[in-house]
Amino acid sequence: MGKRPVRILMLAPQGAGKGTQAARLAAHYGIEHISSGDLLRTEVEKGSDIGQAVRAYLEHGDLVPDDLILQMMVRRLLRAAQTGFVLDGWPRTIHQALAADDLVTDMPEVGLQAVLNLVVPTEELHRRLLARAEKEGRTDDTGAVIQHRLDIYQRETKPLVDYYRSQGILLTIDGDQPPEVVTKDIVAALDAFVRAG
Ligand code: AMP
């Protein structure tokens, strides 16, 4: 596999540029971009069983139950294990991170090499999310739901920063810069980290 970052997690609040950067990294390293939010939105659009089960959670900006998402992610991860992947949106709670670590016991090929923590000030997150709401018309990009999702991030997802820091695989990046500069910083940090490992 060589010294190439191929199993990455993007950890960042909504609006930090997580999806954009994940897509760029996927293209740069030739790996797959796996967005839990996109997978769920596709299921909702298809009107599948899982889509019907999760629709209301997505609309309200609530996290969908862990068991619903775990199965979906395991299937997707297995397909991407060979190529490599950048995860965007999962794991998102300590409980999910523990489940992901459990998976690695049976499938070492899906173990994370590095976790990117994109840091952006809260006011900037609000500004970007409202701008995206106008552009994309996502049902969960409205004022109250945005605040709710950011609150959930603080409460449920931010603890993952310490979780992965204690595993020694956390890389912190300043996300409050033009997107191309953020990408350059991420690639430099990842390449140096993987080379050193
Ligand atoms: P995102 O596009 O990552 O902001 O995700 C959009 C919505 O999908 C979230 O607000 C949740 O309702 C749901 N979702 C995505 N990933 C997860 C996850 N790992 N756990 C629970 N819910 C999730």
Side-chain angles (χ1 to χ4, degrees), residues 36-37 40-41 62-64 69 89-90 92 96 138 149:
S36 54
L40 290 167
R41 280 185 286 277
D62 287 322
L63 295 182
V64 312
I69 197 153
W90 182 91
R92 209 180 183 106
Q96 292 178 3
R138 263 174 60 163
R149 286 158 65 219

Side-chain angles (χ1 to χ4, degrees), residues 14 18 35-38 40-41 54 57-59 61-66 69 88-93 96 132 138 140 149:
Q14 292 78 359
K18 174 167 65 77
S35 156
S36 54
D38 282 351
L40 290 167
R41 280 185 286 277
V54 302
Y57 292 97
L58 265 73
E59 273 174 13
D62 287 322
L63 295 182
V64 312
D66 286 340
I69 197 153
D88 161 9
W90 182 91
R92 209 180 183 106
T93 63
Q96 292 178 3
R132 181 169 85 183
R138 263 174 60 163
D140 58 354
R149 286 158 65 219

Side-chain angles (χ1 to χ4, degrees), residues 17 21 28 35-37 64 71 78 99 107 112 126 128 142 145 155 162 167 169 173 180 188 195:
Q21 296 299 333
H28 181 85
S35 156
S36 54
V64 312
Q71 267 194 348
L78 280 176
M107 298 185 280
L112 293 173
H126 275 277
R128 291 189 194 174
T142 61
V145 178
R155 202 174 60 232
D162 285 334
Q167 292 192 358
I169 56 172
I173 307 288
E180 28 335 311
R195 260 199 316 272

Side-chain angles (χ1 to χ4, degrees), residues 38-50:
D38 282 351
L39 289 173
L40 290 167
R41 280 185 286 277
T42 302
E43 294 298 326
V44 171
E45 275 159 30
K46 284 197 302 203
S48 67
D49 286 350
I50 182 164

Side-chain angles (χ1 to χ4, degrees), residues 73-112:
M73 295 308 296
V74 171
R75 243 180 291 136
R76 188 66 190 84
L77 272 173
L78 280 176
R79 272 206 290 137
Q82 199 70 2
T83 317
F85 51 81
V86 46
L87 283 174
D88 161 9
W90 182 91
R92 209 180 183 106
T93 63
I94 288 285
H95 190 251
Q96 292 178 3
L98 291 169
D101 280 352
D102 265 357
L103 277 184
V104 178
T105 317
D106 292 331
M107 298 185 280
E109 69 273 25
V110 299
L112 293 173

Side-chain angles (χ1 to χ4, degrees), residues 131-167:
R132 181 169 85 183
E134 280 182 20
K135 228 172 76 199
E136 295 180 11
R138 263 174 60 163
T139 53
D140 58 354
D141 272 347
T142 61
V145 178
I146 286 173
Q147 185 58 55
H148 182 55
R149 286 158 65 219
L150 290 174
D151 288 345
I152 291 182
Y153 180 84
Q154 287 296 326
R155 202 174 60 232
E156 305 279 349
T157 311
K158 204 144 177 236
L160 294 188
V161 171
D162 285 334
Y163 181 82
Y164 289 117
R165 185 181 288 124
S166 72
Q167 292 192 358

